[in-house]
């Protein structure tokens, strides 16, 4: 049985749709509708589009409603957050897009050298129109939380080094929540010809018909956790990990050669926010070791639970039972009190944070399509 069917049955999703009319959830806020209209209008004027996608979901993070318009433009696919993606599979994705005659580059939006390579590709792609146009417009588009703001900030820093007059321009806001950027702004990155880069808000379609695509977007943080629920997202993540046998690759962690000296019953509770990278105030050594030890224990726990599992992960009932067991052992591994009223939610939040920050290792959730049936 395929993962999609298992997801629908074992996670109790049924025909749940990610729709704007889904109860009290503010799924498609007004600024997204307005932003989508503004993006479509400005796309008509753009000379090149940088479509930013999440390297972990190169297909699922595409905006379906914009694809027909984007495919008609000069376009570069920037697979962002490459540091969180499996490099071997990411190379296959880049090759796949190349085979579809689509320019593609894997980047890390926080790395100026990585972004510089992207800008070099932009200028190369614009060479053919440079002789005809004195001013060129480049748009950056993408769904929420694919790292557009981080990319724009890096581009801004490069632009300031070239044109200091832009130094006082407001930087793009960066945050863990989707939809932080809510307007459209731009700045100059080249002269003769003048090339301007426009940043745009992250926008999604009003509804996502495919449940698994919606779950992948939620897992990557492009859909607010409140839309799907952290517990359901983690159930999907565990279903994926178990179906792929990923925890079995963590078997070397089962017999650790070192005992972490920081394990203690009196250890403070760890807030998920503490796991996020801190640029200005880095974690001290004990905190880093604590996180590393917690990650090791989580991986070891999942390895043991799957290796000792005598059911069939392709059977929805067996998989559901395994996931239930894993929630229990994860609670201990993550040091969450059993009496906590929201223990299951706390497990979900912490486990999600470990995945999203790359602590569990690099992943790519989308499968590389057959080259003979391209779908950008």
């Amino acid at each position: 049985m395929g993962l999609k069917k298992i997801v629908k049955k074992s996670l109790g999703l049924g025909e749940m749709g990610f729709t704007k009319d889904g109860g009290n959830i503010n799924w498609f806020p007004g600024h997204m509708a307005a932003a989508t209209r503004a993006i479509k209008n400005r796309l008509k004027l753009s000379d090149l589009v940088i479509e930013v996608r999440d390297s972990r979901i190169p297909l699922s993070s595409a905006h379906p409603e914009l694809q027909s318009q984007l495919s008609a433009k000069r376009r570069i696919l920037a697979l962002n957050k490459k540091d969180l993606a499996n490099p071997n599979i990411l190379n296959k994705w880049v090759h796949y897009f190349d085979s579809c005659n689509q320019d593609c580059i894997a980047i890390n939006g926080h790395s100026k050298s990585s972004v510089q390579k992207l800008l070099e590709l932009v200028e190369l792609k614009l060479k053919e129109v440079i002789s005809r146009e004195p001013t060129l417009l480049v748009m950056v588009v993408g769904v929420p939380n694919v790292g557009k703001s981080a990319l724009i900030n890096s581009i801004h820093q490069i632009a300031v080094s070239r044109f200091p007059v832009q130094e006082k321009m407001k930087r793009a806001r960066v945050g863990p929540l989707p939809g932080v950027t809510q307007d459209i702004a731009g700045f100059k990155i080249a002269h003769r010809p003048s090339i301007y880069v426009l940043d745009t808000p992250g926008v999604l379609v009003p509804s996502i018909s495919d449940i698994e695509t919606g779950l992948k977007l939620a897992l990557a943080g492009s859909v607010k956790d409140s839309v799907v629920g952290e517990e359901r997202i983690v159930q999907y993540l565990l279903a994926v990990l178990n179906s792929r046998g990923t925890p079995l690759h963590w078997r070397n962690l089962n017999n650790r050669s070192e005992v972490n000296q920081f394990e203690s019953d009196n250890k403070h509770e760890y807030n998920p926010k503490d796991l996020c990278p801190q640029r200005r105030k880095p974690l001290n050594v004990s905190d880093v070791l604590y996180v590393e030890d917690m990650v090791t224990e989580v991986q070891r726990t999942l390895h043991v639970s799957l290796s000792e599992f005598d059911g069939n992960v392709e059977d929805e009932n067996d998989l559901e039972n395994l996931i239930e067991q894993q929630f229990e052992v994860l609670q201990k591994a993550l040091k969450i009190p059993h009496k906590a009223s929201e223990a299951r939610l706390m497990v979900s939040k912490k486990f999600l944070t470990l995945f999203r920050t790359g602590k569990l290792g690099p992943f790519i959730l989308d499968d590389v399509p057959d080259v003979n049936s391209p779908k950008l």
Side-chain angles (χ1 to χ4, degrees):
M1 178 177 289
L3 181 60
K4 191 183 295 290
K5 291 183 179 179
I6 293 176
V7 165
K8 286 185 179 181
K9 292 189 177 182
S10 66
L11 303 191
L13 295 177
E15 297 301 320
M16 181 190 72
F18 295 77
T19 67
K20 62 180 178 181
D21 298 319
N24 297 322
I25 296 170
N26 188 18
W27 162 242
F28 196 66
H31 79 265
M32 276 198 184
T36 300
R37 290 193 297 270
I39 289 171
K40 288 182 177 180
N41 289 332
R42 284 166 174 77
L43 274 175
K44 300 173 184 176
L45 304 175
S46 65
D47 298 285
L48 183 143
V49 179
I50 299 174
E51 184 186 357
V52 186
R53 298 186 188 180
D54 191 318
S55 288
R56 297 167 296 179
I57 45 175
L59 280 186
S60 298
S61 56
H63 192 300
E65 283 191 0
L66 294 178
Q67 289 309 303
S68 60
Q69 204 168 351
L70 292 175
S71 61
K73 309 290 295 186
R74 292 180 189 84
R75 174 176 61 171
I76 295 175
L77 288 186
L79 302 184
N80 197 19
K81 304 186 180 183
K82 70 174 187 178
D83 52 311
L84 300 178
N86 183 309
N88 295 325
I89 301 177
L90 186 56
N91 288 335
K92 294 180 181 179
W93 269 107
V94 173
H95 176 71
Y96 163 73
F97 286 120
D98 287 342
S99 68
C100 298
N101 296 317
Q102 171 59 61
D103 291 290
C104 177
I105 182 172
I107 66 167
N108 178 350
H110 291 287
S111 167
K112 288 179 68 175
S113 61
S114 179
V115 174
Q116 182 65 53
K117 292 179 181 178
L118 170 62
L119 294 182
E120 290 172 0
L121 180 57
V122 167
E123 294 187 34
L124 178 64
K125 293 296 294 180
L126 287 176
K127 271 189 175 180
E128 58 189 82
V129 292
I130 279 178
S131 60
R132 303 194 304 269
E133 298 290 341
T135 302
L136 300 173
L137 184 63
V138 177
M139 284 194 68
V140 181
V141 301
V143 301
N145 213 33
V146 291
K148 284 192 293 68
S149 293
L151 170 60
I152 285 292
N153 284 338
S154 293
I155 293 177
H156 184 204
Q157 291 173 16
I158 294 172
V160 165
S161 67
R162 298 176 180 177
F163 305 99
V165 70
Q166 301 180 99
E167 187 172 1
K168 294 182 180 180
M169 291 184 66
K170 189 175 181 179
R171 291 179 53 177
R173 294 171 58 198
V174 179
L177 297 178
V180 171
T181 306
Q182 296 187 12
D183 56 5
I184 297 178
F187 45 84
K188 190 175 184 178
I189 63 167
H191 185 56
R192 293 182 183 177
S194 296
I195 300 178
Y196 290 85
V197 172
L198 288 186
D199 182 24
T200 59
V203 292
L204 281 170
V205 291
S207 64
I208 301 174
S209 58
D210 181 73
I211 290 175
E212 193 171 3
T213 296
L215 286 167
K216 288 177 182 178
L217 287 166
L219 184 52
S222 292
V223 174
K224 290 183 179 180
D225 290 343
S226 59
V227 173
V228 184
E230 289 92 340
E231 183 179 333
R232 183 172 284 166
I233 300 172
V234 169
Q235 285 177 313
Y236 171 69
L237 175 56
L238 288 172
V240 172
L241 295 177
N242 291 321
S243 298
R244 293 182 176 183
T246 302
L248 298 180
H249 298 293
W250 296 332
R251 58 183 175 274
N252 293 332
L253 299 171
N254 196 22
N255 296 311
R256 289 180 292 174
S257 58
E258 299 179 2
V259 177
N260 196 295
Q261 58 179 323
F262 295 100
E263 284 191 356
S264 169
D265 292 335
N266 298 320
K267 191 178 299 176
H268 68 280
E269 275 299 313
Y270 214 88
N271 190 306
K273 292 182 180 179
D274 296 334
L275 298 174
C276 297
Q278 299 290 326
R279 295 182 183 177
R280 296 182 179 178
K281 187 179 179 182
L283 297 172
N284 59 45
V285 175
S286 62
D287 283 337
V288 171
L289 290 175
Y290 176 70
V291 173
E292 290 178 351
D293 185 66
M294 180 170 60
V295 171
T296 300
E297 183 61 21
V298 164
Q299 292 177 320
R300 186 196 67 80
T301 294
L302 291 180
H303 162 71
V304 171
S305 65
L306 182 57
S307 61
E308 295 181 351
F309 179 60
D310 58 2
N312 181 2
V313 293
E314 294 187 1
D315 178 88
E316 67 269 18
N317 293 322
D318 286 353
L319 180 60
E320 184 177 8
N321 290 333
L322 173 61
I323 291 174
E324 285 300 308
Q325 296 173 18
Q326 290 175 330
F327 262 99
E328 293 181 9
V329 294
L330 280 174
Q331 182 173 341
K332 181 178 180 181
L334 292 169
K335 306 187 186 306
I336 295 173
H338 284 277
K339 294 183 179 179
S341 59
E342 298 183 348
R344 199 174 177 90
L345 178 60
M346 293 169 67
V347 168
S348 300
K349 285 180 176 292
K350 284 193 174 185
F351 192 62
L352 271 180
T353 302
L354 292 178
F355 172 81
R356 289 171 175 168
T357 55
K359 303 297 183 183
L360 296 178
F363 290 92
I364 291 185
L365 301 171
D366 284 340
D367 295 324
V368 182
D370 185 344
V371 175
N372 297 322
S373 56
K375 176 188 174 184
L376 300 181

